[in-house]
Amino acid sequence: MSFSQIILELLKGFGVTINIFFITVVFSLPLGLLISFGRMSSNNFIKAIIRAYISIMRGTPLMLQLIVVYFGPYYLFRVQMGTSYRMTAIYLAFIINYAAYFAEIYRSGIQSMDRGQYEAAQLLGYGRASSFFRIILPQVIKRILPSITNEVITLVKDTAFAFTLSVMEMFTMAKAIAARETSLVPLFIAGAFYYIFNYAVAFIFEYFEKKMNYYK
C-alpha cells in the first residue's frame, strides 16, 4: 500500500474521530452546566444523586462505560438493539462521561465567584437567571477556559476508545493497516493527525482565552 493510500484510509477513520469529538463537545458542555446546578442544589436528594453520578463517571474507565451503554439495554431490559445503535451508544457514553468532568469544572468556577457579584447584579435590577447568564457565567467561562481546554484535548485522544464497540475510528484503522502492512508508518501518520488536530484545538481555545482577557 502506497503512502497516499494509507493517508486516504486514515482520513476515513479521522472523519469518525472528528464526528465523535464534535458531537461530544456540543452536547457535553451544556449538559455539564446543568449537572453542575444539580451538584450545587440546596435539595440534598438531588445533590446526592448528582454526586454519585459524577463519582461513577470519573471513577470508572470510559471503556467500561461504553460497554455498559451498548449492552445495558439488552442485559437489563432484554431490548435487542441493532448495529445502528453502536454509534449512538458511543455518543451517549462520551457525552455523559465528559459532562461529569465539565460539571465539576463549572462548579469550581461558579463557586469561586465573589458573592458581591450577585449582589451588585441585583442592585442593577437583574433577576436571578439574567444576572447569572449575563454577568456571572461570562466571568466563569473566562476562569475555567484553561481547564476546559485540557479536557477537550484529552477528548481528542479518548476517541480512540471507540474501538471497544468495533467502530473503525482513526487509531483502530491505523492499527489494522499497520498489522496488514507490517509497518509502523500508519501509526506514525495517525499520531501526526492527532497532534495537528490537538494543536488546532489548543490554538482556537487559546485565541478565545486571549479575547476574554479583557483586563490587559
Side-chain angles (χ1 to χ4, degrees), residues 1-14 168-191 193:
M1 180 178 286
S2 66
F3 184 81
S4 59
Q5 289 176 319
I6 293 175
I7 294 290
L8 289 174
E9 287 292 317
L10 290 179
L11 283 174
K12 296 177 184 178
F14 190 54
M168 295 292 286
E169 43 65 55
M170 184 173 61
F171 186 68
T172 305
M173 190 80 74
K175 288 193 299 181
I177 298 173
R180 186 173 68 240
E181 301 294 322
T182 62
S183 170
L184 291 176
V185 172
L187 295 174
F188 287 131
I189 297 174
F193 272 117

Side-chain angles (χ1 to χ4, degrees), residues 12 44 60 68 103 122 128 160 202 204 216:
K12 296 177 184 178
N44 290 329
T60 57
V68 170
Q122 290 177 351
R128 186 174 181 180
I204 292 170
K216 291 187 178 180

Side-chain angles (χ1 to χ4, degrees), residues 104-113 140 143-144:
E104 286 297 273
I105 294 173
Y106 280 123
R107 182 180 66 85
S108 65
I110 293 170
Q111 292 182 337
S112 71
M113 296 299 297
V140 169
R143 292 188 180 191
I144 67 175

Side-chain angles (χ1 to χ4, degrees), residues 43-144:
N43 186 308
N44 290 329
F45 178 71
I46 295 176
K47 185 186 293 185
I49 292 176
I50 297 298
R51 184 180 295 171
Y53 156 73
I54 292 175
S55 178
I56 292 171
M57 290 298 104
R58 298 173 70 192
T60 57
L62 176 57
M63 188 181 297
L64 174 61
Q65 294 166 25
L66 283 162
I67 293 172
V68 170
V69 171
Y70 183 63
F71 292 103
Y74 176 75
Y75 287 110
L76 293 176
F77 309 108
R78 296 300 173 185
V79 176
Q80 187 70 46
M81 308 298 288
T83 55
S84 59
Y85 176 65
R86 186 174 284 118
M87 283 304 299
T88 303
I90 289 173
Y91 295 146
L92 288 174
F94 271 87
I95 290 168
I96 63 176
N97 176 274
Y98 272 85
Y101 286 92
F102 289 141
E104 286 297 273
I105 294 173
Y106 280 123
R107 182 180 66 85
S108 65
I110 293 170
Q111 292 182 337
S112 71
M113 296 299 297
D114 189 87
R115 186 65 190 173
Q117 297 276 353
Y118 295 92
E119 295 171 353
Q122 290 177 351
L123 289 174
L124 291 172
Y126 288 100
R128 186 174 181 180
S130 60
S131 64
F132 176 79
F133 286 103
R134 297 186 65 178
I135 296 176
I136 304 300
L137 186 59
Q139 297 180 68
V140 169
I141 293 174
K142 179 180 179 294
R143 292 188 180 191
I144 67 175

Side-chain angles (χ1 to χ4, degrees), residues 145-216:
L145 202 54
S147 299
I148 293 289
T149 303
N150 289 336
E151 287 300 326
V152 171
I153 288 174
T154 301
L155 169 61
V156 175
K157 295 176 285 186
D158 279 354
T159 55
F161 284 118
F163 83 91
T164 306
L165 300 184
S166 303
V167 169
M168 295 292 286
E169 43 65 55
M170 184 173 61
F171 186 68
T172 305
M173 190 80 74
K175 288 193 299 181
I177 298 173
R180 186 173 68 240
E181 301 294 322
T182 62
S183 170
L184 291 176
V185 172
L187 295 174
F188 287 131
I189 297 174
F193 272 117
Y194 278 117
Y195 177 79
I196 293 170
F197 189 49
N198 265 327
Y199 184 86
V201 169
F203 179 83
I204 292 170
F205 274 86
E206 185 178 349
Y207 170 79
F208 284 111
E209 190 176 343
K210 289 179 179 178
K211 292 289 286 185
M212 298 186 73
N213 195 8
Y214 39 75
Y215 290 115
K216 291 187 178 180

